[in-house]
Amino acid sequence: MNWIEPLTPWLLALVPIVLALGAATSARQPRERAWRTAQVSTLCGLVASTLLLALGAAGGLPAGEGGWQTAPLQLIMLLLANFIAFVVVRYSATYLQGEPRQTRFVALVQAVFASVSVAVLSDHLALFLLAWFAISMGMHQLLMFYPDRPRAALAAHKKFLFARAAELCALTAFVLLYLHHDTAQISVIVGAYGDHSVEGGTLSLAEQAAACLLALAALIKCAQLPLHGWLIQVVEAPTPVSATLHGGVINLGGYLLLLFSPLLLQSAPAQALVLVVAGLGSVLAALVMMTRISIKVRLAWSTSAQMGLMLVEIALGMVELALLHLLAHSCYKAYAFLGSGEAVEQDLLRRRAPGLSPSWGRWLSAGLISAAMVAGLVVLVRGVTDSPAFAANAPWVLLTGALTVLLAERGSERNSGDLVGFVGLAALVVLAYVGLKSLFAALLPETGHTISPWADLWMSALFLLLFAGYWLKRHGLHYRASQTLNRYCYAGFYLDEWVTRNTLRLWPHELPGRIKAKQLHTALRGSSL
């Protein structure tokens, strides 16, 4: 396929160009034509990204050409972004009927995903940072779709400030890497660490600082505690905006760490920063999520927890699991937000089929069965392969806990069934985990990273703490300690209040006043007359 090589830069540039043209055209068209244009442009982007991934898998694309990257990581992310864009546009065409600013919305969505396509394909530090900035500015406008809502304005203000802080961290890191390597080409910089020529602990001070700044930028972008409040409050925006944010944009912090993972995995301070902040944040966010009633708020807390877990996976060196997690989370969150209108029906089903609190005997038997299944699988996998992808113990601890809950909580009418059926389902989950992880490990280059025993022990302890907290909040609310924990979780540990108060003190922002229903009704009657 030598004839493809000169066309490669144009093929790669086709996706963002089509989306950008769609955005520019939609902004000048009537509503119906604007939606049709957006559907055509996002469909073209989806088809083009699918063909590019197929060509890349067949070896028909060169490693890098014309400032673009064609590695499996970039092509997979490109396909994911365009799939989310197509789904969101198709859904929004019906959901936003009657809204006065539909044309503005459809143009901004296409512009955001055009910038996402540039960011994931870019092989230049400056172009990557410019695309990242364009994504943030476009999302800011989408989050202010209802500018008269005080909570939406407050959330957008906090996100604006935190995004600038993350971009400043990334800019400083990029300057340090450019000065150290004398190149702005991302593939060259990452390749300097991917060949394992630099052993851990021998990085220069500038490289260590760059790794820590990249880790900090990813933590901020992924809305990790305590800078998470804006992510919870932006549910004031329309549901398609939430699907765009949670399904296609917030994952870019994880993509940044995936992209520079060879550098991160050779910097012990950067790894420790991610493991401590994201590890604790994922556990706390998961516990807080259990106290929320609103489906969109629950999903927002879940995103913060899932992003923290994904960053932890990268810091442990399990980049293949992190990429699998990123893809699954994006598709699930987009589906969950777009299907949030069915929350009432699902709640009624839960009320008609309340779960029974498992006995201690059932918990013990479920734990023993899960531990035996996972232990047998660990022995089998490590006997067949010595891949570092299966070296860590923390994921096996998490999997054992999840299977224990699955097997123990099978007592409601909705989850009724015999033990054999649930054991079969658990075995299917285990096999899917190993199979998909092996597939993504084959797609990505090996990191050659040896997992630190202390990091592995730290995450194993956090996962055990997570399941202990889950049991207390789900089955032990009659204990005083559980009631105290539930009170703090319901308040989000007061972290966002502290951050909001200090943020507004450092950078005040005038919020729109609350609209009184009677005044609005009178104004509408006056305008109609």
Side-chain angles (χ1 to χ4, degrees):
M1 297 185 177
N2 293 332
W3 59 274
I4 293 183
E5 293 189 9
L7 298 178
T8 298
W10 299 102
L11 289 173
L12 295 169
L14 178 63
V15 176
I17 288 176
V18 167
L19 291 174
L21 289 176
T25 305
S26 299
R28 297 178 174 84
Q29 291 179 327
R31 294 176 185 176
E32 295 299 327
R33 292 185 60 187
W35 283 115
R36 287 197 295 269
T37 300
Q39 292 179 17
V40 170
S41 69
T42 52
L43 179 60
C44 291
L46 177 60
V47 172
S49 56
T50 303
L51 293 176
L52 286 170
L53 181 59
L55 286 174
L61 294 178
E65 192 74 26
W68 305 108
Q69 296 192 72
T70 58
L73 172 62
Q74 282 74 30
L75 297 179
I76 291 173
M77 290 292 299
L78 180 68
L79 177 58
L80 172 66
N82 283 272
F83 173 71
I84 299 296
F86 176 71
V87 171
V88 167
V89 167
R90 285 291 302 271
Y91 180 89
S92 303
T94 303
Y95 181 88
L96 292 176
Q97 287 299 317
E99 291 287 348
R101 293 184 293 274
Q102 295 179 48
T103 303
R104 175 182 175 84
F105 174 88
V106 71
L108 283 171
V109 166
Q110 294 175 89
V112 165
F113 280 104
S115 302
V116 171
S117 300
V118 172
V120 300
L121 289 176
S122 173
D123 195 25
H124 195 280
L125 295 175
L127 183 59
F128 178 91
L129 195 60
L130 286 174
W132 222 21
F133 177 75
I135 295 167
S136 179
M137 297 305 297
M139 282 305 306
H140 181 79
Q141 297 300 318
L142 287 174
L143 296 176
M144 289 294 292
F145 189 78
Y146 297 126
D148 54 347
R149 296 186 176 182
R151 281 174 58 86
L154 176 61
H157 174 64
K158 290 194 292 185
K159 182 191 178 298
F160 182 87
L161 297 180
F162 298 156
R164 302 293 81 76
E167 289 154 8
L168 181 60
C169 292
L171 173 62
T172 308
F174 287 174
V175 171
L176 292 174
L177 291 174
Y178 172 78
L179 294 176
H180 183 81
H181 294 277
D182 197 25
T183 180
Q185 194 171 351
I186 296 176
S187 58
V188 174
I189 295 174
V190 173
Y193 306 99
D195 58 3
H196 319 308
S197 59
V198 180
E199 298 296 333
T202 62
L203 294 177
S204 67
L205 181 61
E207 291 172 303
Q208 293 280 10
C212 292
L213 287 169
L214 289 174
L216 186 58
L219 290 168
I220 297 174
K221 280 287 188 178
C222 288
Q224 292 304 285
L225 275 66
L227 306 181
H228 64 288
W230 66 268
L231 183 66
I232 313 303
Q233 293 157 356
V234 294
V235 296
E236 293 283 331
T239 295
V241 176
S242 299
T244 300
L245 174 63
H246 293 259
V249 173
I250 198 171
N251 295 317
L252 290 177
Y255 172 73
L256 176 69
L257 274 199
L258 278 172
L259 185 60
F260 289 94
S261 58
L263 170 61
L264 175 77
L265 295 177
Q266 297 188 47
S267 172
Q271 287 178 264
L273 175 63
V274 174
L275 289 172
V276 172
V277 177
L280 287 172
S282 63
V283 172
L284 296 179
L287 295 177
V288 172
M289 179 194 69
M290 297 177 62
T291 65
R292 295 306 187 257
I293 299 175
S294 168
I295 182 63
K296 292 180 70 174
V297 174
R298 283 174 63 91
L299 290 173
W301 277 103
S302 171
T303 294
S304 181
Q306 295 293 333
M307 290 295 100
L309 182 57
M310 184 182 65
L311 296 180
V312 163
E313 292 163 354
I314 300 172
L316 288 175
M318 297 180 293
V319 294
E320 71 290 330
L321 181 58
L323 179 58
L324 173 60
H325 193 167
L326 189 153
L327 295 176
H329 176 266
S330 294
C331 295
Y332 165 71
K333 276 299 162 60
Y335 168 79
F337 270 102
L338 296 180
S340 59
E342 301 176 358
V344 175
E345 180 182 356
Q346 294 172 0
D347 183 67
L348 290 175
L349 287 174
R350 282 193 296 268
R351 290 174 184 270
R352 286 203 300 264
L356 301 177
S357 183
S359 63
W360 285 108
R362 174 168 286 188
W363 279 110
L364 180 60
S365 62
L368 291 175
I369 293 173
S370 301
M373 291 177 59
V374 173
L377 185 65
V378 170
V379 172
L380 178 61
V381 170
R382 291 183 178 175
V384 173
T385 177
D386 57 352
S387 172
F390 298 98
N393 294 313
W396 300 115
V397 173
L398 180 61
L399 184 60
T400 302
L403 294 180
T404 300
V405 173
L406 173 67
L407 295 177
E409 295 182 345
R410 61 182 193 279
S412 71
E413 295 179 10
R414 296 182 66 198
N415 295 327
S416 60
D418 57 2
L419 180 61
V420 176
F422 275 85
V423 170
L425 177 60
L428 183 62
V429 170
V430 170
L431 292 177
Y433 166 76
V434 174
L436 290 173
K437 189 174 180 180
S438 301
L439 173 63
F440 279 84
L443 292 175
L444 299 177
E446 290 189 7
T447 61
H449 173 67
T450 302
I451 297 176
S452 167
W454 293 108
D456 200 10
L457 182 63
W458 162 254
M459 289 312 305
S460 298
L462 284 182
F463 291 149
L464 292 175
L465 180 64
L466 171 63
F467 285 104
Y470 171 85
W471 184 89
L472 283 173
K473 292 177 62 59
R474 186 70 179 269
H475 304 287
L477 281 177
H478 54 283
Y479 296 114
R480 180 171 298 179
S482 180
Q483 295 170 6
T484 302
L485 174 64
N486 195 65
R487 185 167 62 251
Y488 278 96
C489 288
Y490 186 79
F493 298 95
Y494 304 99
L495 293 173
D496 182 53
E497 287 77 7
W498 176 78
V499 170
T500 302
R501 182 171 60 252
N502 287 282
T503 300
L504 294 178
R505 182 181 302 166
L506 294 174
W507 199 302
H509 181 69
E510 184 177 355
L511 301 177
R514 293 186 178 274
I515 298 178
K516 296 183 179 180
K518 291 184 178 180
Q519 294 178 355
L520 180 61
H521 180 67
T522 303
L524 290 176
R525 286 190 61 186
S527 61
S528 62
L529 295 175

